[in-house]
Amino acid sequence: MQPHEDYGFFGPDSVTWKVWSYPTSLTIGFQRAVVVEELDPDLVAAVDKTSDIYKRPRTRYDRTLRYFAMVAFGGSRETMKAADVLVKIHTKAIGTEPYGGARYDANNPASQLWIHLTAWHSILYAYEKYGPGRLSKEEEEQYWSECATAAELQTCSPDDVPRTREGIRDYFEQMRPLLSGSEIAVKAMNHLLQAEVMLPPMPLVVRPGAWVVGRVLRAGTIATMPVWMREMSGLKQWRVTGAAVTVLLQAVFAVVHSNKRAELLLLRFLSPMTVPVVAPIFLGVPPTNAEVVTPAEGRRRYGYDKPSEAHQELRARQEARVFGEGTTPSDEGLLESQPILGRLA
């Protein structure tokens, strides 16, 4: 096992490590995040156009989960590189939204803020509902401060990240009129709620068990969604189902968390590419340099631009291809990402 070069952007004293290292984060929390995200018309337009979640769902799940884990636990150098190449990947995700007719761009700061806050809120919500419970007031303030730090790795501004539970609630209320349970959104959400599509091929004898696990995770994820969101997306579920699955998942996650090697085995099953990122943290392997690095310091050390300012020439070329020439964007960035985020196939 290779130790990380440093503690990355948070470290052992962070609330991020406390919350994100609980088994709810990369299961229910992550599933909730990618499902809820699809209510954004611009985001789901990009998702529907590439069709990656349908053509290669496990690969996309594995690569995306690895990136989120790198932000929380990875060394600063490798995470900065991943964040930079992600801007390149997102230059492909541009086009015209099919219902409203407006242009969308995955690198748009508003779109990136939606993805970022949905992820961090979902991870925390799952931790509180199916894990140890609510953070203290001080821990919660620190968590959202660390969320703002992580925002520096995306094109959105950390100044736009709310720093309190009430601020996050206000943000979702402001976003609510802009969200849509469109046909392509509902299709994507239901697809992402099928945990089986993210799992590796399995022998026939264990497939019924995998189906049961998938249904439990689906019910657990839906139980975390507010009523208005379920109604918007047509996700109906009995209240008693939510109550029953809550008790079950709390017990299961507590048992899994009691054994770090069991957590890693579960993670290896769900996302093999993520294991090298989190294993040193879960098993207490110290980094080469015991320091926490800020994103600003990381950019100075490794020579990266701010994500909002990065790869402007590439973004302009992609826009010219799509909106000017009417052709498809190039795969620049996508192929480059494979050594960093994992293979595409």
Side-chain angles (χ1 to χ4, degrees), residues 151-172:
E152 295 186 53
L153 301 174
Q154 296 180 226
T155 59
C156 53
S157 170
D159 295 337
D160 293 331
V161 174
R163 305 306 173 94
T164 63
R165 182 182 298 266
E166 292 72 27
I168 292 294
R169 187 181 298 118
D170 290 343
Y171 170 79
F172 280 104

Side-chain angles (χ1 to χ4, degrees), residues 114 117-118 121 168-176:
W114 166 251
L117 291 182
T118 300
H121 175 258
I168 292 294
R169 187 181 298 118
D170 290 343
Y171 170 79
F172 280 104
E173 281 301 314
Q174 292 166 15
M175 286 295 298
R176 185 171 172 178

Side-chain angles (χ1 to χ4, degrees), residues 265-319:
L265 285 174
L266 173 63
L267 185 59
R268 188 178 299 279
F269 180 67
L270 295 173
S271 177
M273 286 298 299
T274 304
V275 173
V277 179
V278 304
I281 283 76
F282 280 22
L283 299 180
V285 177
T288 305
N289 302 306
E291 63 172 336
V292 175
V293 180
T294 67
E297 176 59 28
R299 287 193 295 271
R300 288 192 294 270
R301 285 187 186 184
Y302 313 126
Y304 292 109
D305 294 326
K306 287 184 177 181
S308 58
E309 301 169 359
H311 307 297
Q312 293 298 321
E313 291 184 5
L314 174 60
R315 295 178 68 176
R317 291 200 304 271
Q318 299 284 47
E319 289 177 5

